[in-house]
Structures are given as C-alpha cells and as structure tokens.
C-alpha cells in the first residue's frame, strides 16, 4: 500500500509541473510533440527528416541517458536544441522538460521532444506536451501494439519507420494495424522511411494542420 501511495505522489507532482509546462509552451505558441519509441527506432533521423519537410519552424528537446550525440546532429543543422541527460532514468519527466524549455531559445513553432528509448516508462509521464507520437519500426516486429498497449492507446498518431526494410523482414502489416485499431481506432498511422524520405510529405502535411488547429484554438 505504501508503494502505491509513493508512486501516486510522484505522478501527481510530475503532473503539476507538466501543467506549468503546458502554460509556458502555449504562451510561446509552441506545439510540443512527445516522440516515444524503442532504442534504434530511428527517432533522431525521423525528426531531422521531418524538419526538412515542414514549413513551420522547429526546435528539439533531446532526451537520453547520457551523451549529446543526437543533440550535436541537430545543432549541425542549425536547429535550436537542448539536451537532457537523465543519468540512468528510463524516461524524461516534467521537471527536466521545464528546465529545457527555459533554456530553449525558440517560439512560434513545433518542438519535438525525443524521449529516452523505451516503450513503457515514457508513456506514463506527462511532460506538458500537446500529444504523444508512438514510433514503431519494421525490424523490431509487428507485435509492439500488443506488448505495449499503454503507449499505443495514448498516442495521437503512430509512425511506422523503416518501411524500406519490409522486403527483408517478416512483418505482418495487417496484424500490426489490427493491434493499433483495437486500442486506438482514430489514430492516423504513417508509414515512413527516415532513410529514403518516403512518406514524409503526408506526415508533414498532417502535422502542419495540427499546428494550425493549435494556433486557432488558443
């Protein structure tokens, strides 16, 4: 019983800061997208390729256990970026994102949060984002919606990366889609390849529309 109380208190404290983050990003006209995927899913490459296609200014909050390898890739492209190192934690929390927002010199656009590579913990912690984007990829298999239902239930959209690898892996797209639809019937699913650029035109159009809705509803 004590453990349950402690977990509840941690989540409540986190959610209070998440509410502050939401107010901050709304005031700065930022649509904040929390990208959640496994290690090696291609989150960094996805963000870089998406920014190439988007007509809306973009910034990035990079989350990782250690290192700034991904943040350097953003900086090389002149993308506003702040690195968060969790020092061992398997997810970002609202407090670390709050500090990152204060350090990020960026307004009036889209901020991608690249969460720590994990399909479980990041889905439980609200960061003040507008929505979560679940990322799966062909090599890791078609069963992820069945094994990690919380993420795919909460996600506003799903990205299936590395579709250029379909000829080389046994990936049942119907099984994958059926798993998502059972949990989240309305989420759009985008089939993309961060390596080739396939599918990014459709995704960029959708995200730009989401940004315009966000601006109109403020």
């Amino acid at each position: 019983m004590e453990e349950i109380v402690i977990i509840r208190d941690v989540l409540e404290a986190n959610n209070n800061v998440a509410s502050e983050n939401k107010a901050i990003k709304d005031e700065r006209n930022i649509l904040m997208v929390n990208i959640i995927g496994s290690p090696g899913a291609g989150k960094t490459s996805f963000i870089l390729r998406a920014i190439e296609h988007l007509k809306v200014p973009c910034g990035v909050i990079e989350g990782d256990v250690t290192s700034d390898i991904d943040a350097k890739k953003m900086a090389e492209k002149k993308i506003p970026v702040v690195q968060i190192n969790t020092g061992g934690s398997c997810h970002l929390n609202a407090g670390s994102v709050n500090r990152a927002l204060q350090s990020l010199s960026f307004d009036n656009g889209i901020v991608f949060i690249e969460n720590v590579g994990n399909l479980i913990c990041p889905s439980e912690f609200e960061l003040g984002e507008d929505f979560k984007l679940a990322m799966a990829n062909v090599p890791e298999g078609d069963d992820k919606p069945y094994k990690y239902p919380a993420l795919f239930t909460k996600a506003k959209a799903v990205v299936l990366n590395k579709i250029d690898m379909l000829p080389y892996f046994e990936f049942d797209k119907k099984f994958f889609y059926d798993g998502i639809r059972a949990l989240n019937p309305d989420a759009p699913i985008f089939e993309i390849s961060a390596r080739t650029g396939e599918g990014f035109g459709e995704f960029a159009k959708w995200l730009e529309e989401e940004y315009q809705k966000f601006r109109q509803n403020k």
Side-chain angles (χ1 to χ4, degrees), residues 48-123:
L48 286 167
R49 185 72 79 167
I51 290 174
E52 288 179 5
H53 284 76
L54 287 163
K55 297 171 184 167
V56 178
C58 297
V60 178
I61 295 174
E62 279 289 349
D64 219 329
V65 174
T66 186
S67 89
D68 59 356
I69 294 171
D70 295 336
K72 285 180 177 177
K73 292 177 181 178
M74 302 295 165
E76 287 172 0
K77 299 289 186 180
K78 310 300 182 186
I79 299 167
V81 60
V82 174
Q83 176 74 48
I84 299 174
N85 290 131
T86 66
S89 179
C90 60
H91 61 87
L92 296 179
N93 60 44
S96 60
V97 171
N98 183 277
R99 293 187 290 275
L101 278 172
Q102 294 178 38
S103 301
L104 186 65
S105 300
F106 180 81
D107 301 290
N108 302 305
I110 298 169
V111 167
F112 293 102
I113 300 174
E114 181 176 345
N115 218 311
V116 178
N118 192 307
L119 293 175
I120 301 175
C121 304
S123 64

